Amino acid sequence: MTTMAKIDLKEQNPLEALKQFFAGILKLKDVTSILVPQRLSTLNTIMPTLVTDAALLEGVDPLAPAFPMNAARIASRLTRKPMGGKVAAVLRPCEIRAFIELVKLNQAHREEILLISTDCLGAFPNKEYFKFAAQDGGEETLRFYKTMLGGNTHEMEGYPLAPACKACEHPVSENADIQIGLYGIKPGESILIKAQSEAGDEMLKQMNLPETTEPTGRQAAIDTLISQRIRFRDDMFAKTQEAVNSLDKMGAYFSNCVNCYNCRVACPVCYCKECVFVTDVFDHEPSQYLQWAARKGMIKMPTDTLFYHLTRLAHMSTACVGCGQCSNACPNDIPIMEVFRTVAQHTQQAFGYEAGKNLEEKPPLSVFFKDEFQEVVGIS
Amino acid sequence: MSEFEPTIVAFFCNWCTFTAADLAGTSRLSYPHNIRIIRVMCTGMVDPQYVIKAFLEGADGVLVSGCNPGDCHYINGNYKARRRIKLLKEILPQFGFENERLRLTWIGASDGVRLAEILRTFVTQIKALGPSQTKLKMAI
């Protein structure tokens, strides 16, 4: 479980090394395909691709500051039933944590997937990334890689990281079978390949890479980054709490919400095939609206905006991994992630649970015990 | 000025607390008229959504009440309800809904007297707390 290897970089280019490494994985027996983010030539966008031909890994780019979607949803599609062979999936740590939640919710299976993760350098909000990528074709990932590893972990060339990334205390995956290490190594020098499970160990053994040991300073670099992130996160929690702690403030916070439900569509752990908010339950009779309006003289249309957000918090906050795709998906730029993470922190703590951490921990609302939470019962 | 009369939505399970409410009635016990009882088959079917909706529509308090531990007609519905109430008690206070407005109790079928007492206590407490923010203002 401790196999560690390193790949020295040619021309200081980690993407080239990753391409070779992924091609090597694809050649392993048992591995049928690899799910990996690639730069699609057409629009200079980065999207997950499912590749079976090692020659078609030209655009491999898991380090770009682009995070168009949480690919845990894709991994769940690929593994919800037996696929007929193993797929290796290159995911960000938050995608792996969302995937673990989906496995626990029976929406995905762990057996046929090898999870590979690179140390996460973070990403820009989608809209910012489009602007950033429009300026420059292919070199920007390498600039981003050097800037982030050079100690500036908040912004680059005036583009700030997404708030979700700035508040992320999990830049390195604990649950990947293979973790590709970047932090604590001089940028452009080498990358670390670390097996973190038996399956990962098995893979690395077949690949015959030069063995190495954990670079000195790696753990310290990660710890420093995490403590910066936690500072930002706690500050965000305090500010958000203050911003929504009454009906008025909550109304103001969500006042631009048009009930498009994009945040729910983008959410990796909101897995219902049919959300209750698009069913007949919310297809109110016209006379019902009139009745509601008559009661207070006025109602805001569309209705049920706060009802929707509060219900979604009840449904998924214990599974929230804080990936920030809800904020990315909002057409009106409501900082949704901030509210959901702030509340999720409370709900997860209440049940002693951390989303995406451990496959063995049961989701809080799927279990119950006889003598628990006595404090919520009774009126004295 | 007339005294504030709260609206309290109560979800009572068919087998225990609702039967206790029936017993309170047939025993001619009185309890405050502020309680709007909704009979459900089990507290385990009280979706957190129901509670959220009640609050957003202007309820000043919500009471969920079912069978004593071990007595659930469906074996464990009340334990599930307890986790959901715990969850709601973490979410709602973040948005300014005081924790005291949401209550869970276990009241057995023969506890008509206790039921009347609990309802009186709850109404007194909510009166002291004052109207809910949603009663005064529109929720978007």
Side-chain angles (χ1 to χ4, degrees):
Chain A
M1 294 266 254
T2 51
T3 314
M4 252 183 261
K6 75 167 181 169
I7 304 177
D8 290 320
L9 304 184
K10 284 182 200 125
E11 292 171 4
Q12 305 202 339
N13 189 341
L15 294 181
E16 202 49 46
L18 288 172
K19 201 184 302 171
Q20 304 287 334
F21 178 63
F22 296 148
I25 285 175
L26 204 44
K27 283 179 193 134
L28 295 178
K29 68 172 172 49
D30 299 345
V31 177
T32 57
S33 52
I34 186 163
L35 176 71
V36 62
Q38 289 213 58
R39 184 175 298 276
L40 302 178
S41 54
T42 41
L43 284 165
N44 198 26
T45 52
I46 308 265
M47 278 287 166
T49 56
L50 184 66
V51 183
T52 56
D53 181 350
L56 294 176
L57 289 166
E58 261 323 292
V60 156
D61 195 349
L63 305 180
F67 189 22
M69 67 184 304
N70 190 311
R73 297 176 75 95
I74 306 286
S76 144
R77 281 191 181 205
L78 293 175
T79 61
R80 70 188 172 90
K81 286 180 181 170
M83 193 192 197
K86 278 202 165 174
V87 56
V90 183
L91 301 171
R92 289 181 188 269
C94 58
E95 294 176 315
I96 291 187
R97 288 187 300 122
F99 181 76
I100 301 253
E101 284 303 299
L102 290 171
V103 171
K104 293 196 232 182
L105 296 162
N106 289 324
Q107 304 302 308
H109 292 93
R110 184 71 179 85
E111 293 77 21
E112 282 192 326
I113 193 165
L114 287 158
L115 299 173
I116 300 169
S117 180
T118 54
D119 284 0
C120 188
L121 303 175
F124 302 145
N126 280 352
K127 285 172 193 167
E128 299 296 322
Y129 176 73
F130 299 147
K131 280 188 239 161
F132 174 77
Q135 296 175 353
D136 196 338
E139 292 297 304
E140 79 253 8
T141 299
L142 297 178
R143 282 192 345 256
F144 179 70
Y145 157 78
K146 282 182 186 155
T147 310
M148 289 297 131
L149 290 182
N152 184 352
T153 52
H154 263 60
E155 60 93 38
M156 169 180 166
E157 298 163 19
Y159 292 93
L161 285 194
C165 301
K166 284 193 218 168
C168 173
E169 67 281 63
H170 301 284
V172 178
S173 178
E174 293 167 26
N175 286 309
D177 295 306
I178 289 184
Q179 179 66 29
I180 300 172
L182 310 172
Y183 288 116
I185 305 164
K186 198 166 161 251
E189 203 173 85
S190 66
I191 54 174
L192 178 74
I193 311 281
K194 185 178 173 186
Q196 301 190 126
S197 71
E198 269 173 46
D201 223 25
E202 191 59 35
M203 263 167 83
L204 279 199
K205 275 189 191 132
Q206 291 179 54
M207 295 182 80
N208 284 323
L209 294 165
E211 280 204 31
T212 184
T213 50
E214 183 109 7
T216 48
R218 173 166 161 80
Q219 196 54 48
I222 295 171
D223 290 344
T224 310
L225 178 65
I226 292 176
S227 63
Q228 279 173 12
R229 296 272 178 85
I230 288 177
R231 265 203 306 282
F232 181 91
R233 181 199 71 181
D234 291 346
D235 190 44
M236 174 184 95
F237 285 160
K239 281 184 188 144
T240 310
Q241 237 152 14
E242 181 56 36
V244 295
N245 64 11
S246 72
L247 185 71
D248 276 347
K249 289 189 190 172
M250 183 177 32
Y253 199 95
F254 286 107
S255 59
N256 289 325
C257 178
V258 290
N259 293 30
C260 69
Y261 306 143
N262 282 0
C263 46
R264 182 251 300 156
V265 175
C267 179
V269 295
C270 236
Y271 64 89
C272 292
K273 293 262 186 258
E274 188 178 36
C275 175
V276 62
F277 281 89
V278 297
T279 61
D280 287 352
V281 176
F282 289 88
D283 205 359
H284 309 304
E285 291 293 320
S287 60
Q288 173 76 76
Y289 291 109
L290 191 60
Q291 218 177 328
W292 280 332
R295 199 171 55 194
K296 282 183 179 165
M298 175 177 105
I299 49 170
K300 175 239 150 204
M301 301 292 280
T303 57
D304 302 317
T305 304
L306 292 183
F307 190 23
Y308 161 72
H309 289 289
L310 287 171
T311 302
R312 210 165 83 77
L313 279 166
H315 284 177
M316 54 57 71
S317 69
T318 54
C320 177
V321 296
C323 67
Q325 288 299 346
C326 45
S327 289
N328 254 341
C330 183
N332 290 340
D333 296 327
I334 301 169
I336 307 168
M337 176 283 296
E338 282 82 341
V339 176
F340 276 67
R341 270 217 72 182
T342 303
V343 175
Q345 172 86 351
H346 284 270
T347 56
Q348 293 183 17
Q349 246 169 28
F351 294 102
Y353 185 78
E354 196 183 312
K357 190 180 170 66
N358 185 346
L359 209 49
E360 306 308 318
E361 280 175 10
K362 299 264 188 289
L365 292 182
S366 69
V367 287
F368 52 85
F369 302 99
K370 210 171 137 200
D371 300 309
E372 58 175 5
F373 307 126
Q374 307 287 354
E375 76 280 4
V376 304
V377 183
I379 292 182
S380 49
Chain B
M1 210 178 99
S2 62
E3 197 191 1
F4 158 58
E5 290 295 343
T7 310
I8 288 168
V9 176
F11 296 97
F12 286 174
C13 100
N14 178 59
W15 305 98
C16 292
T17 309
F18 191 84
T19 311
D22 240 2
L23 177 64
T26 48
S27 315
R28 295 184 164 264
L29 296 168
S30 67
Y31 56 78
H33 64 270
N34 309 72
I35 313 286
R36 316 282 197 273
I37 299 175
I38 296 173
R39 170 155 65 158
V40 293
M41 290 310 286
C42 179
T43 50
M45 66 158 288
V46 179
D47 192 309
Q49 249 195 317
Y50 301 171
V51 176
I52 295 168
K53 177 75 172 170
F55 278 121
L56 289 177
E57 289 292 316
D60 299 295
V62 173
L63 174 64
V64 177
S65 185
C67 306
N68 280 298
D71 286 353
C72 178
H73 192 79
Y74 306 101
I75 302 167
N76 50 32
N78 48 2
Y79 294 139
K80 293 173 185 163
R82 186 168 57 193
R83 282 215 159 206
R84 292 181 191 139
I85 297 294
K86 174 74 182 166
L87 176 74
L88 284 167
K89 277 178 172 286
E90 294 297 326
I91 297 173
L92 292 172
Q94 301 297 322
F95 303 100
F97 294 93
E98 297 89 342
N99 232 329
E100 299 77 24
R101 294 191 189 273
L102 173 61
R103 299 290 193 159
L104 172 70
T105 58
W106 313 135
I107 302 174
S110 58
D111 275 348
V113 177
R114 206 170 134 249
L115 173 108
E117 262 170 40
I118 282 177
L119 296 183
R120 276 194 292 272
T121 314
F122 192 35
V123 171
T124 314
Q125 287 180 0
I126 296 293
K127 278 186 180 173
L129 210 53
S132 161
Q133 47 181 355
T134 48
K135 184 147 230 173
L136 306 170
K137 286 171 188 149
M138 176 183 73
I140 68 161

